[in-house]
Amino acid sequence: MADIINLLPDNLANQIAAGEVIQRPASAVKELLENAVDAGATEIQLFIKDAGKELVQVIDNGSGMSDTDARMCFERHATSKIRSIDDLFHIRTMGFRGEALASIAAVSQVELKTRRAGDELGSFIEIDNSVIKRQEPCQAPFGTSIAMKNLFFNVPARRNFLKSNAAEMRHIVDEFIRVALAFPHLQFSLNSNGQQMFHLEKGSLKQRVVNILGQHYNAKLVTVRETTDYMNIHGFVGKPETAKKTRGDQFFFVNNRFIKSSYLNHAVMNAFSEMIPADSYPLYVLFIDLDPAHVDINVHPTKQEIKFDDERILYAFVQSAIKHALAQFSVTPALDFDLDPGIQQLDALTQPFTEQKKVQSANTSIYKTFTHANQAHVIDKSSNSNLQHWKELYGEPARPDNDHAPAPPETPLSTASVIDERWQEAATDHKVPVQVHQQYILSQIKSGFILIDQRAAHERILYERYQKALAEKPMATQQSLFPQTLELLPADALIVSEMLPDLQALGYDLEPFGQHTFVVRGTPADIQTGNEQASIEGLLEQFKHFSSELKLNRRERLVRSIARNNAIPPGKVLGSREMQNIIDELFACATPNVSPGGRFTFISFKLNDLEKMFERGM
């Protein structure tokens, strides 16, 4: 029988390998920018056309290349960074495997111009599908210009998998920002379709952070700096008040290389615990420097996932450094007492404090103890003291010796009376629903009762309402008396721009207002005024959450996002009419039993099941 194993042709092998490195235009942007940094450039320009599908070009003033090096750099595994296996464990450059340019040349048409400072002429190379079509001397400024044109022109199936221009541009901006933050001493610019999106002059790290993330952070950054023999950390965290509902302002760099690490992110979140709400995310731009021998960056083609020889040390170090920085700058959490809403309805707060009650209060020993001069330390030990029940009130109640033990006295500040009143009201009118723990709605039905999850139910109601608005009639908008200016991260601004027509159909009145900025003139009529910015930030966070679900199209993600973001949260006290409205609207839905995400909105309890539980009729 004939042999069946053959070597792949070089161009096909290159295309397969390119799939690991160049997944989208942003992948090429990352590799080309990092090559420019490795070349010692001080000025780096990025030009984009058609979200990188037509053109990605990087021009730098770095060291340039000789004729031979210009040709060799497109060969697979051709690199100037590694000579032996030991070099692999002491990497300090951004690139080292020699895959980037070979991968780019395998899936696009490439033009390269390069010249070293001491050479009279530079070199021009044209490559098409890994094949060098032309190489000749040329006039060129010192440095390198490399243009990647018509990405995936020879792999149309992969080109079809690219997202919309706005989505691909978001990825490009993300990669640009990561490299620009890592090297604030270099000048960077980004031009898209002839318009300049960024021009970042050389400066300090703080200047670079403020220029990229927004001028409003200028006075709200806390410096982090700790030095040890094992590792160093420096950078900034935002003060607690800058925490947002959306991710995006979180950057970790190890030896100037951007990384993704949920483990180290958890260390930061722990350092901010009790300072920010649980569903918020603090800003941080942190750089960790340590011996490359303790890090393995060669575990993923993008090099964004790396391994440490001891993650626990890093975790403790990061957490400690941030806590120390926040304490040093007197950033401490404010006490936030969660007041039971039932207390607001007690007689002590709702009834007038009459003259008779004033006299009665003034005659008590506790009043005298805290009002007579120099007597605050005196405690009346007599049996008539009003303090004798304090231990009973706040300590553990004594266990009765037998079933005939007397019942403990009623707690003066108990909210039981409030709850009893609600149950009595429900008993007199079977249609009045009752809220349980500010999370659930209990409503009686003929066969028993149902327990409704108020948030899941409201999410289902809003979801169907918004679906109808997009399909049929746009929702009403309530105009803001004082329009707000919303400044977003560049990537978030691209998301909003892409969704603008659908947002307007859902009741948002947004208008672009300069770079990365929008004016919010109105919001859907069912959203409380004054929460415009928080509403849109929460919507963005939910949209990013749903973006990982490939089965959902953009409109579906938007509708689910806005429904989840605007649904009433657990803990919100609802009146009888509000609860009844939720019940009526829920059962008017096409699918009332589950939320858009598939959670049950209610559970029913049958009367005969209750009778069995209480052993009635047995």
Side-chain angles (χ1 to χ4, degrees):
M1 295 180 65
D3 298 330
I4 60 173
I5 297 178
N6 300 303
L7 288 174
L8 286 172
D10 285 345
N11 65 329
L12 181 56
N14 286 344
Q15 287 180 8
I16 294 172
E20 297 181 358
V21 181
I22 308 301
Q23 301 170 352
R24 56 185 355 130
S27 307
V29 167
K30 171 184 181 294
E31 300 291 350
L32 295 179
L33 289 177
E34 290 180 348
N35 281 351
V37 171
D38 285 343
T42 59
E43 297 177 6
I44 301 173
Q45 303 174 70
L46 172 61
F47 295 89
I48 302 294
K49 285 186 181 178
D50 194 23
K53 299 171 186 175
E54 182 181 339
L55 173 71
V56 172
Q57 183 178 18
V58 171
I59 301 175
D60 68 65
N61 65 345
S63 59
M65 291 180 282
S66 66
D67 291 346
T68 303
D69 286 347
R71 189 182 185 100
M72 278 292 293
C73 71
F74 290 102
E75 297 293 332
R76 285 192 68 195
H77 308 306
T79 177
S80 62
K81 316 294 175 55
I82 295 176
R83 292 287 185 270
S84 68
I85 190 66
D86 290 337
D87 295 337
L88 192 61
F89 301 101
H90 297 86
I91 296 295
R92 288 205 175 272
T93 53
M94 302 303 292
F96 57 88
R97 291 193 294 234
E99 292 178 318
L101 294 181
S103 297
I104 289 172
V107 292
S108 68
Q109 298 164 326
V110 178
E111 291 183 0
L112 171 72
K113 286 184 180 180
T114 184
R115 181 173 75 87
R116 295 181 297 188
D119 296 340
E120 291 186 9
L121 292 175
S123 181
F124 172 81
I125 295 180
E126 182 182 348
I127 300 178
D128 192 333
N129 193 17
S130 295
V131 178
I132 296 180
K133 299 292 187 181
R134 184 161 51 124
Q135 181 173 7
E136 59 189 26
C138 70
Q139 293 284 347
F142 72 89
T144 300
S145 168
I146 183 166
M148 180 192 77
K149 301 179 179 180
N150 301 320
L151 180 63
F152 298 141
F153 79 100
N154 53 349
V155 196
R158 293 190 60 192
R159 189 178 178 92
N160 291 338
F161 275 95
L162 294 177
K163 303 297 183 184
S164 66
N165 279 8
E168 294 298 339
M169 198 63 205
R170 288 201 309 272
H171 290 288
I172 289 173
V173 169
D174 284 343
E175 295 293 354
F176 176 84
I177 286 175
R178 291 164 184 172
V179 177
L181 280 174
F183 301 96
H185 59 285
L186 307 182
Q187 178 182 304
F188 288 89
S189 64
L190 168 57
N191 291 266
S192 175
N193 295 330
Q195 293 187 336
Q196 188 173 80
M197 293 184 68
F198 289 95
H199 182 79
L200 305 172
E201 292 289 350
K202 308 170 188 177
S204 66
L205 175 60
K206 184 174 183 179
Q207 289 171 327
R208 181 60 52 90
V209 171
V210 169
N211 287 338
I212 289 177
L213 301 183
Q215 292 294 330
H216 57 285
Y217 283 124
N218 193 32
K220 298 181 179 179
L221 297 177
V222 176
T223 302
V224 178
R225 185 175 296 276
E226 298 286 347
T227 303
T228 68
D229 293 337
Y230 183 75
M231 72 184 80
N232 304 325
I233 185 170
H234 73 279
F236 299 95
V237 295
K239 293 181 179 179
E241 63 264 28
T242 66
K244 293 182 178 179
K245 300 289 185 184
T246 58
R247 296 181 182 93
D249 292 350
Q250 293 79 38
F251 300 89
F252 254 121
F253 299 86
V254 173
N255 294 343
N256 271 22
R257 184 187 304 278
F258 174 79
I259 69 162
K260 294 179 179 178
S261 173
S262 57
Y263 188 70
L264 293 182
N265 178 72
H266 191 271
V268 178
M269 297 300 290
N270 261 355
F272 273 90
S273 63
E274 300 181 7
M275 293 189 183
I276 61 175
D279 59 346
S280 296
Y281 305 92
L283 173 149
Y284 61 81
V285 181
L286 296 172
F287 292 78
I288 296 174
D289 299 315
L290 74 165
D291 188 337
H294 298 303
V295 185
D296 184 3
I297 58 178
N298 194 30
V299 297
H300 193 272
T302 66
K303 309 184 193 78
Q304 290 183 1
E305 298 175 15
I306 66 178
K307 289 183 179 179
F308 303 96
D309 58 4
D310 194 335
E311 285 188 324
R312 292 172 299 177
I313 292 179
L314 259 75
Y315 187 100
F317 182 67
V318 169
Q319 185 176 355
S320 174
I322 294 175
K323 282 189 173 182
H324 181 248
L326 294 174
Q328 189 176 6
F329 284 82
S330 300
V331 179
T332 56
L335 293 176
D336 183 17
F337 295 98
D338 185 14
L339 184 62
D340 188 335
I343 292 177
Q344 302 285 2
Q345 303 177 33
L346 294 175
D347 291 345
L349 297 179
T350 59
Q351 299 298 323
F353 192 45
T354 63
E355 288 296 327
Q356 181 182 359
K357 290 181 179 179
K358 288 181 182 179
V359 173
Q360 291 175 350
S361 298
N363 289 328
T364 61
S365 60
I366 188 170
Y367 179 88
K368 295 175 181 178
T369 298
F370 286 97
T371 54
H372 292 184
N374 303 318
Q375 295 297 307
H377 63 284
V378 175
I379 298 178
D380 184 2
K381 298 181 180 179
S382 68
S383 59
N384 295 326
S385 171
N386 290 56
L387 306 179
Q388 61 182 340
H389 294 300
W390 278 32
K391 186 175 181 181
E392 297 174 21
L393 177 60
Y394 291 106
E396 259 189 39
R399 295 183 178 179
D401 295 330
N402 52 61
D403 293 339
H404 303 287
E410 282 190 34
T411 302
L413 297 180
S414 170
T415 57
S417 59
V418 179
I419 298 172
D420 287 344
E421 288 174 6
R422 293 180 183 176
W423 277 101
Q424 289 168 8
E425 182 184 16
T428 55
D429 183 355
H430 292 169
K431 293 183 179 181
V432 177
V434 176
Q435 191 176 26
V436 181
H437 290 294
Q438 289 82 51
Q439 295 188 67
Y440 304 100
I441 300 171
L442 187 142
S443 179
Q444 182 172 314
I445 57 176
K446 289 182 180 179
S447 60
F449 67 90
I450 57 173
L451 194 63
I452 300 171
D453 183 326
Q454 65 186 43
R455 178 173 176 80
H458 196 216
E459 196 175 325
R460 163 55 63 179
I461 293 166
L462 294 178
Y463 173 80
E464 296 202 6
R465 186 183 300 171
Y466 297 144
Q467 285 278 33
K468 187 175 181 180
L470 287 179
E472 301 174 11
K473 184 179 178 182
M475 293 185 64
T477 300
Q478 57 179 352
Q479 297 297 323
S480 302
L481 291 175
F482 304 99
Q484 292 189 10
T485 301
L486 184 64
E487 185 176 352
L488 300 173
L489 290 172
D492 289 344
L494 288 167
I495 293 176
V496 173
S497 298
E498 185 181 16
M499 299 190 302
L500 211 52
D502 290 337
L503 286 173
Q504 290 169 346
L506 293 171
Y508 286 93
D509 186 358
L510 297 176
E511 181 181 324
F513 187 69
Q515 209 171 38
H516 321 317
T517 306
F518 295 83
V519 175
V520 185
R521 302 193 183 280
T523 53
D526 55 357
I527 292 180
Q528 184 179 353
T529 57
N531 294 335
E532 292 87 349
Q533 180 163 345
S535 172
I536 294 173
E537 286 181 354
L539 168 61
L540 282 168
E541 174 57 26
Q542 293 296 340
F543 188 83
K544 293 175 188 175
H545 168 76
F546 284 117
S547 292
S548 60
E549 299 190 28
L550 299 177
K551 62 183 179 180
L552 304 178
N553 61 37
R554 179 173 56 81
R555 273 199 164 189
E556 177 70 12
R557 294 201 307 269
L558 174 60
V559 172
R560 289 196 182 194
S561 301
I562 192 172
R564 179 177 290 186
N565 184 59
N566 294 340
I568 53 177
K572 180 176 175 61
V573 179
L574 302 176
S576 298
R577 181 173 295 180
E578 291 174 302
M579 289 187 281
Q580 191 61 53
N581 286 342
I582 288 177
I583 295 170
D584 295 341
E585 291 187 59
L586 175 64
F587 289 99
C589 289
T591 313
N593 58 318
V594 292
S595 71
R599 292 189 299 117
F600 288 120
T601 56
F602 68 90
I603 298 175
S604 61
F605 295 83
K606 303 293 184 183
L607 190 58
N608 56 355
D609 293 334
L610 293 175
E611 290 174 346
K612 290 178 183 178
M613 290 171 62
F614 287 98
E615 301 179 351
R616 295 184 61 181
M618 292 186 179

